């Protein structure tokens, strides 16, 4: 039996969340015993990049090296993955919980009749049934879910496993693009978010709220982020007012982040904002109001004026380098 | 244009989450239920499309009788009729099969959903329905325009956005800023009472997952405050104590 991992990449680079998915699959293989971990990569990748998936436990990589797949079209990707689920007689499919995994995991489930659990936060427990733990209520709680016999699909939340690395290399098997694919979706263009560090992948996030008064004051946030090698985020009203782009908006209705460190500056800590950050390892709040709700959720806090405190923090970080 | 909007009935975003019966049941006491915020975007978009293209909006919810007030809210906001599939929606595949069964019977040009439900946060129902119906599904959609038989969409991806064109029919998982949330007016609320709400029994679905138990997020310890005069100390603590720098 085998475990299939659907790889998500961007211009030949495999996403960190997909590396976590490979590692999750290989650890699960050890739990359920004697499983081959097959990663599937679609589109153009260098051989070395794919071989290195072996570092995280993939035994084999199936690669459909075709430019037509360089952009991840939901329909076509799902068809190819679903087909490979059958031909490799996989009993488990793993991918990351992301805009890729949501769409593709769902479609594979519909096509193959698999059961599916999304937002999984820990390795399965198979002592009696196949049980997984998932995050629910936007990070406010967890559920333990048992899955029925047969093909299963798990979408794994980012930062749910701590990845270890070996020197092992995966074997690569190239296969041609299957015929008779239906390219329903036409991707007519794309736009990249600005900034050096992507919010989704960031280890550190520096986020600003309405307390910063206006977009002209974001230099301060960016300077601190730059010094820390962090991504920048914001609260909903900040993106609603167009101070910052929409994709930076963190929370219930925005991006859910789970970095090692989240620094909230001039953000009150509304429950909808906290819903997007509550799985961060360490939360820091900087707010002028000692009664700001964020202090109840934070690990560290500074009651003070952001305009005074933040530049000093930036200087301090720079002095450590 | 015939539009189906699938909505969830979920706790208000400010709700404190608790469980009863030895952590096997969600505690509904004191909870205000709302239309899922993403589903609310889907509904708002449907209303906008109807205003500019005419058509019909059916709102669908898989849920027990307690979801009906939430469905009436959707009718008040602008849906024309409603279908409730009488079942406790505990599994994504189960829910998707119900939606697909209805959509097979009644052909819709557009099926709008939320990008995800805020109780189970799965984000997969649209994809499952899409493959069951063998039509495209796209999520999360921030912008949607219909030109003839083509849907032009902007989809958010990690690290940017993507522009997609597909032929109708299509399923879209909606998120802001696709449309502004709509508030029901008095006329809407009055007319919602008499709009048709059909109740049907679920189709059978065998292999489903079941939730064994729940657990609340462990409570946080209290915050360590650093006086503003010594703000720099924060960086030392993050480095040496929390070890995150
Ligand atoms: C259904 C729903 C979904 C929502 N989803 C989200 C979401 O995903 N994300 C989100 O963020 N919000 C969301 N919201 C909105 C949320 O309820 C809050 O309104 C929002 O988070 C507040 O943003 P804020 O903290 O930036 O602004 P405010 O609440 O105005 O807070 C500004 C803070 O800045 C502090 N401040 C002012 N001056 C200074 C200074 N000089 N130095 C330091 N601090 C200062 C103030 O003390 C205050 O605490 C949602 C709301 C609803 C109803
Ligand atoms: N019980 C339900 N009834 C109707 N639609 C639903 C139901 N559950 C989920 N959906 C739709 O599917 C979307 C994604 O839900 P989920 O996959 O559970 O995160 C939601 O935003 C709804 O539009």
């Amino acid at each position: 039996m085998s475990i299939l991992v659907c790889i998500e990449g961007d211009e030949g680079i495999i996403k960190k969340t997909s590396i976590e998915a490979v590692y999750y699959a290989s650890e699960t293989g050890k739990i359920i015993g004697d499983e081959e971990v097959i990663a599937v990569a679609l589109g153009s990748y260098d051989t070395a990049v794919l071989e290195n998936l072996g570092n995280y436990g993939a035994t084999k990589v199936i690669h459909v090296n075709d430019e037509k797949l360089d952009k991840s079209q939901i329909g076509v990707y799902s068809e190819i993955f679903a087909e490979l689920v059958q031909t490799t007689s996989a009993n488990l499919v793993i991918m990351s919980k992301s805009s890729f995994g949501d769409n593709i995991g769902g479609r594979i489930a519909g096509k193959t009749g698999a059961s599916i659990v999304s937002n999984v936060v820990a390795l399965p427990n198979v002592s009696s049934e196949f049980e997984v733990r998932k995050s629910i209520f936007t990070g406010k709680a967890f559920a333990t879910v048992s899955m029925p016999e047969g093909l299963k699909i798990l979408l794994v939340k980012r930062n749910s496993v701590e990845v270890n690395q070996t020197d092992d290399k995966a074997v690569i098997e190239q296969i041609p693009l299957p015929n008779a694919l239906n390219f329903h979706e036409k991707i007519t263009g794309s736009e990249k978010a600005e900034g050096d560090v992507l919010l989704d992948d960031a280890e550190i996030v520096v986020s600003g709220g309405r307390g910063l008064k206006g977009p002209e004051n974001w230099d301060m946030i960016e300077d601190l982020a730059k010094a820390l090698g962090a991504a920048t985020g914001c609260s909903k009203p900040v993106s609603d007012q167009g101070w910052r782009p929409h994709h930076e908006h963190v929370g219930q209705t925005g991006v859910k982040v789970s970095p090692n460190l989240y620094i909230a500056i001039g953000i009150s800590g509304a429950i909808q904002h906290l819903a997007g950050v509550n799985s961060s390892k360490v939360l820091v709040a900087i707010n002028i109001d000692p009664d700001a709700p964020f202090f109840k959720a934070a690990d560290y806090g500074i009651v003070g004026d952001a305009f005074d405190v933040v530049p000093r923090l930036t200087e301090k970080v720079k002095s450590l380098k | 244009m015939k539009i189906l909007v699938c909505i969830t009935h979920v706790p208000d975003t400010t709700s404190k989450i608790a469980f009863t019966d030895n952590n096997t049941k969600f505690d509904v006491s004191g909870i205000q239920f709302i239309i899922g915020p993403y589903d609310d975007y889907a509904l708002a978009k449907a209303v906008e499309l109807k205003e500019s293209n005419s058509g019909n909006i059916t709102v669908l919810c898989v849920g027990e009788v307690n979801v009906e007030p939430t469905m009436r809210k959707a009718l008040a906001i602008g849906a024309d009729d409603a279908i409730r599939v009488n079942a406790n929606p505990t599994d994504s595949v189960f829910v998707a099969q119900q939606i697909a069964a209805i959509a097979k019977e009644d052909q819709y040009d557009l099926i709008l959903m939320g990008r995800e439900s805020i109780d189970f946060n799965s984000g997969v129902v649209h994809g499952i329905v899409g493959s069951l119906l063998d039509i495209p599904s796209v999520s999360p959609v921030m912008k949607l325009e219909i030109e003839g038989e083509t849907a032009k969409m902007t989809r958010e991806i990690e690290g940017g956005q993507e522009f997609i064109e597909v032929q109708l029919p299509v399923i879209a998982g909606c998120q802001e800023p696709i449309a502004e949330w709509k508030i029901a007016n008095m006329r809407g609320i009055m007319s919602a009472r008499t709009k048709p709400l059909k109740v049907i029994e679920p189709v059978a679905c065998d292999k489903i997952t079941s939730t064994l138990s729940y657990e609340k997020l462990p409570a946080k310890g209290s915050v360590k405050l650093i006086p503003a005069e010594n703000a720099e100390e924060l960086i030392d603590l993050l480095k040496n104590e929390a070890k995150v720098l």
Side-chain angles (χ1 to χ4, degrees):
Chain A
M1 291 296 230
S2 59
I3 305 180
L4 206 77
V5 186
C6 304
I7 297 294
E8 179 180 3
D10 184 24
E11 297 182 350
I13 297 164
I14 292 170
K15 295 231 167 138
K16 180 173 162 252
T17 45
S18 280
I19 289 184
E20 290 177 2
V22 170
Y23 188 74
Y24 183 100
S26 88
E27 290 299 295
T28 301
K30 287 177 199 159
I31 295 172
I32 52 187
D34 194 32
E35 297 273 343
E36 190 183 15
V37 176
I38 305 173
V40 182
L42 309 180
S44 314
Y45 289 96
D46 282 343
T47 319
V49 169
L50 297 181
E51 275 174 358
N52 283 343
L53 287 173
N55 297 175
Y56 310 99
T59 37
K60 181 160 118 183
V61 178
I62 297 180
H63 184 199
V64 187
N65 191 359
D66 195 302
E67 280 173 14
K68 286 201 210 75
L69 301 176
D70 282 355
K71 292 224 181 290
S72 52
Q73 297 126 91
I74 296 161
V76 167
Y77 266 47
S78 314
E79 276 183 52
I80 299 175
F81 287 130
E83 172 88 32
L84 285 169
V85 166
Q86 319 278 7
T87 53
T88 59
S89 42
N91 54 350
L92 189 59
V93 180
I94 311 278
M95 67 194 92
S96 47
K97 160 82 177 143
S98 62
S99 66
F100 173 95
D102 286 1
N103 284 289
I104 286 167
R107 291 194 76 96
I108 300 174
K111 253 203 159 65
T112 57
S115 61
I116 181 166
V117 177
S118 170
N119 237 351
V120 172
V121 295
L123 292 168
N125 176 351
V126 296
S127 51
S128 54
E129 289 169 280
F130 193 99
E131 292 173 11
V132 286
R133 198 170 136 89
K134 70 169 289 188
S135 168
I136 56 170
F137 291 110
T138 323
K140 289 186 218 167
F142 300 100
T144 302
V145 178
S146 87
M147 299 183 75
E149 291 285 311
L151 181 63
K152 302 171 183 64
I153 303 177
L154 304 181
L155 308 186
V156 181
K157 189 172 173 183
R158 65 171 58 85
N159 289 344
S160 294
V161 284
E162 196 122 348
V163 173
N164 286 319
Q165 207 173 335
T166 63
D167 295 328
D168 297 346
K169 296 269 183 272
V171 179
I172 299 180
E173 182 188 325
Q174 302 275 0
I175 62 166
L177 186 70
N179 293 323
L181 285 172
N182 244 324
F183 284 84
H184 283 301
E185 304 142 46
K186 248 201 331 215
I187 299 181
T188 55
S190 60
E191 237 170 60
K192 278 217 177 295
E194 281 170 41
D196 304 331
V197 188
L198 288 180
L199 193 50
D200 296 283
D201 293 339
E203 305 283 356
I204 304 177
V205 175
V206 179
S207 217
R210 201 143 56 177
L212 290 166
K213 314 280 190 278
E216 65 282 5
N217 297 323
W218 240 262
D219 284 353
M220 194 167 83
I221 299 290
E222 274 165 357
D223 288 347
L224 178 58
K226 198 160 199 165
L228 289 167
T232 54
C234 67
S235 65
K236 182 174 189 300
V238 165
S239 68
D240 284 349
Q241 291 172 74
W243 296 0
R244 300 296 295 173
H246 174 263
H247 59 78
E248 279 198 6
H249 141 211
V250 171
Q252 178 94 58
T253 48
V255 185
K256 281 88 185 163
V257 296
S258 38
N260 287 328
L261 174 60
Y262 186 85
I263 305 180
I265 302 167
I267 299 179
S268 58
I271 194 158
Q272 296 96 348
H273 188 84
L274 296 177
V277 305
N278 51 18
S279 44
S280 308
K281 253 189 212 134
V282 173
L283 287 176
V284 174
I286 299 170
N287 199 300
I288 205 159
D289 174 8
D291 295 323
F294 218 121
F295 289 121
K296 292 213 175 65
D299 300 285
Y300 296 95
I302 298 178
V303 179
D305 183 351
F307 294 88
D308 160 45
V309 169
V310 175
R312 284 166 52 208
L313 294 179
T314 308
E315 283 314 306
K316 172 77 182 180
V317 173
K318 283 185 183 158
S319 77
L320 293 179
K321 295 267 157 87
Chain B
M1 175 148 55
K2 278 186 70 173
I3 308 175
L4 181 68
V5 180
C6 302
I7 65 166
T8 55
H9 159 90
V10 292
D12 167 21
T13 52
T14 60
S15 306
K16 291 256 181 316
I17 302 301
F19 303 100
T20 60
D21 291 29
N22 201 16
N23 279 328
T24 57
K25 278 213 176 77
F26 174 59
D27 184 359
V28 294
S29 57
I31 299 280
Q32 279 264 61
F33 282 88
I34 56 167
I35 301 174
Y38 295 112
D39 313 338
D40 226 357
Y41 285 120
L43 180 61
K45 185 67 207 183
V47 172
E48 280 181 11
L49 286 170
K50 187 187 157 178
E51 277 164 5
S52 53
N53 298 303
S54 82
N56 186 82
I57 302 171
T58 300
V59 56
L60 165 61
C61 182
V62 181
E64 287 166 339
V65 67
N66 58 317
V67 308
E68 286 192 3
T70 303
M71 300 186 73
R72 290 279 172 208
K73 254 183 247 163
L75 290 169
I77 288 171
D80 298 291
D81 48 70
I83 304 172
R84 177 169 73 83
V85 178
N86 186 29
N88 185 9
T90 54
D91 175 83
S92 309
V93 173
F94 174 82
V95 169
Q97 297 222 356
Q98 308 313 318
I99 298 173
I102 288 164
K104 260 183 202 150
E105 192 126 309
D106 231 339
Q107 307 277 316
Y108 296 93
D109 302 301
L110 194 57
I111 303 181
L112 298 181
M113 305 195 189
R115 78 171 290 177
E116 77 180 27
S117 57
I118 66 160
D119 49 359
F120 273 82
N121 306 120
S122 295
V124 296
V125 166
H126 23 74
I128 307 173
V129 177
S131 66
L132 291 175
L133 296 175
D134 205 16
I135 61 173
S137 55
V138 178
S139 175
V141 176
M142 307 165 66
K143 204 171 162 204
L144 168 66
E145 277 161 26
I146 306 290
E147 284 177 18
E149 289 298 302
T150 308
K152 295 190 170 179
M153 298 183 269
T154 302
R155 168 174 176 243
E156 180 156 356
I157 50 175
E158 280 76 5
Q161 49 193 22
E162 199 168 71
F163 311 110
I164 301 179
E165 288 184 18
V166 290
Q167 295 308 109
L168 298 178
V170 62
I171 301 176
C174 302
Q175 77 164 32
E176 68 172 12
I178 192 161
E180 298 250 357
W181 283 327
K182 304 247 178 309
I183 302 163
N185 59 26
M186 208 52 211
R187 218 182 88 221
I189 295 168
M190 298 303 288
S191 67
R193 294 188 191 154
T194 53
K195 285 180 179 171
L197 192 163
K198 189 165 79 178
V199 180
I200 61 174
E201 290 305 314
V203 296
C205 171
D206 41 357
K207 284 190 340 196
I208 60 171
T209 60
S210 57
T211 301
L212 304 174
S213 62
Y214 298 100
E215 197 184 316
K216 278 208 291 194
L217 197 68
K220 271 261 176 190
S222 58
V223 59
K224 191 171 212 168
L225 286 178
I226 297 109
E229 313 80 84
N230 309 335
E232 289 84 355
E233 209 183 290
L234 171 71
I235 303 300
D236 294 321
L237 287 168
L238 292 175
K239 191 169 164 78
N240 303 321
E241 188 179 85
K243 301 196 178 1
V244 288
L245 292 187

